[in-house]
Amino acid sequence: MFKSLPGWAGLIVMLFAAAFFLNAAAAHAAPVQVFPTRADPLPPPSVRFQEGVAAYDKGDFAKAFQIWLPLAQQADLAAMRNVALMLRKGEGTPRDPKRALWFYEEAGSKGFALAQVNAAFMHLEGDGVPKNLEAAAFWFHSAARAGSPIAQYNLAVMYERGTGVEKDLPKALGWYALAARSGSQPAIDRLAILVPSLDGPKAPQRAEAPVVNVLPAPQPSPSAEQPAPAAPVAPAIVAAPAPQASTPETPAPAVAEPAASAAPPAPQPETNVPGQTVVPDQVPVAAEPLPPVFQNPEDNPSDRY
C-alpha cells in the first residue's frame, strides 16, 4: 500500500496509523471516567452573585433564585450549586430533585468539589432520586482526589462498610489518614478505634520451664555403732491409800467444749514456675468497633471553594 508513496510520505502515514491504534487501545482500557480537579478556588464572586447571597440570607429565596439561575446558565459553578440547592429544598422555586442533581453533577464534572460532595449525598440518601451507592462512591472519590476532607472521610466509611464499593480496610485506613491529616476530627477518632483493633505480630514460642536439681537427703552410714538397748526397770510397789469417810460427791460443773471452728482451706499446689508470668485461661477479646457514620456538610451559598 505504501510502496507507491515517497519514503517520507509513507513514514508519516504509518506514524498516524500507529497513533490512532494506540489511542483506541488506551480509550478501551480506561476503567472509569475521571473528572478534572480544580487545584485553585473559583474566581472572585461577581457583584450580581453577592446580591443573590444577600437576598438568600434575608430569606428572599425567590429573588436569590432569579439572580443565580442566569449565572448558572453562564457556567458560574458556584451559582450552579446554589441553584441545585434551592431546587433540592424547594426554596424560591418548586422542589425538583432531578434538576438539582443535574446542576450538582454538571458543576462537579467541571471539577467543583463541593458540588461533587452534594451529588454524592443525593445518590447516597436517595434524596428525591433513586438511591445509587456506586454513583455516591464515584462522586466522593472525585471530591476526595480534589482534597476535600469530608469527601475523604465519607469515602473511607464506604470502604470500611463495603457500601457501594468492595469492602477494603487498607483503603479505608488510607483515606481516613488523608482526612485526618487535613484536620478531620471524625477521621482521627475513627483511626483511634480501628488501628488498635488490627492484628498484631504472632506470639513467639514461650521459653521452657527451668530444671531444678533437688539433692537427696543424707542417709546414715551402715557402719556406725548402734546404741545398746536400755535394761528393763522393775515396777515399783505403790501402797494403797487409807480409806476416807464417805461424803456426798458434788458433781463437777460441766465445762462447755469450744465450738469447732472451720478449718482453713487447704493450700493449692503451686503450678506456676517462678519467674514466669501467669497467663489466664481466657484472654479478653476486644469489642467490635461501632460502625462509622457518614458526615454531611452544611450548605452555605457563599462557598466558592
Side-chain angles (χ1 to χ4, degrees):
M1 174 180 177
F2 300 131
K3 291 182 179 180
S4 59
L5 297 175
W8 59 269
L11 180 61
I12 292 176
V13 172
M14 293 177 64
L15 289 176
F16 272 110
F20 172 78
F21 286 113
L22 288 176
N23 290 335
H28 180 72
V32 294
Q33 182 182 8
V34 178
F35 291 125
T37 57
R38 300 183 64 93
D40 54 341
L42 299 182
S46 62
V47 175
R48 190 63 174 160
F49 181 90
Q50 293 288 41
E51 291 176 355
V53 174
Y56 186 91
D57 292 340
K58 292 179 181 179
D60 192 350
F61 299 138
K63 181 178 179 180
F65 186 81
Q66 293 174 359
I67 293 175
W68 283 331
L69 182 59
L71 297 178
Q73 293 170 345
Q74 297 171 14
D76 185 321
L77 301 186
M80 294 173 68
R81 176 173 178 263
N82 291 348
V83 167
L85 166 67
M86 303 188 77
L87 287 169
R88 178 168 61 88
K89 292 185 175 182
E91 296 176 335
T93 184
R95 173 174 160 81
D96 192 339
K98 292 182 179 180
R99 286 185 64 200
L101 182 59
W102 184 90
F103 276 106
Y104 278 142
E105 292 186 344
E106 185 67 17
S109 65
K110 293 177 171 57
F112 193 22
L114 291 177
Q116 293 170 348
V117 173
N118 294 132
F121 267 103
M122 287 198 71
H123 287 295
L124 179 68
E125 298 173 348
D127 186 4
V129 295
K131 183 179 292 188
N132 189 337
L133 300 179
E134 291 77 11
F138 171 82
W139 287 110
F140 276 139
H141 182 263
S142 299
R145 291 180 64 250
S148 170
I150 196 166
Q152 293 168 348
Y153 170 81
N154 287 318
L155 182 62
V157 171
M158 300 193 80
Y159 275 117
E160 182 184 352
R161 297 174 61 173
T163 303
V165 292
E166 292 290 335
K167 190 173 182 178
D168 194 326
L169 186 57
K171 286 184 179 181
L173 292 173
W175 285 112
Y176 278 137
L178 288 179
R181 190 177 67 175
S182 300
S184 172
Q185 189 60 45
I188 296 173
D189 297 339
R190 198 63 193 161
L191 287 173
I193 295 175
L194 290 179
V195 174
S197 66
L198 299 176
D199 294 335
K202 184 180 180 181
Q205 184 177 3
R206 299 184 58 183
E208 298 181 357
V211 179
V212 180
N213 296 324
V214 180
L215 298 178
Q219 300 293 333
S221 175
S223 61
E225 295 182 358
Q226 300 293 335
V233 179
I237 299 175
V238 180
Q244 301 293 332
S246 62
T247 56
E249 295 182 356
T250 304
V255 179
E257 296 183 358
S261 59
Q268 299 295 328
E270 187 71 23
T271 58
N272 298 315
V273 179
Q276 292 185 354
T277 304
V278 178
V279 180
D281 295 335
Q282 298 294 333
V283 179
V285 180
E288 185 72 17
L290 296 176
V293 181
F294 290 103
Q295 298 291 323
N296 196 341
E298 296 182 0
D299 291 312
N300 188 351
S302 62
D303 286 340
R304 299 180 66 85
Y305 296 91

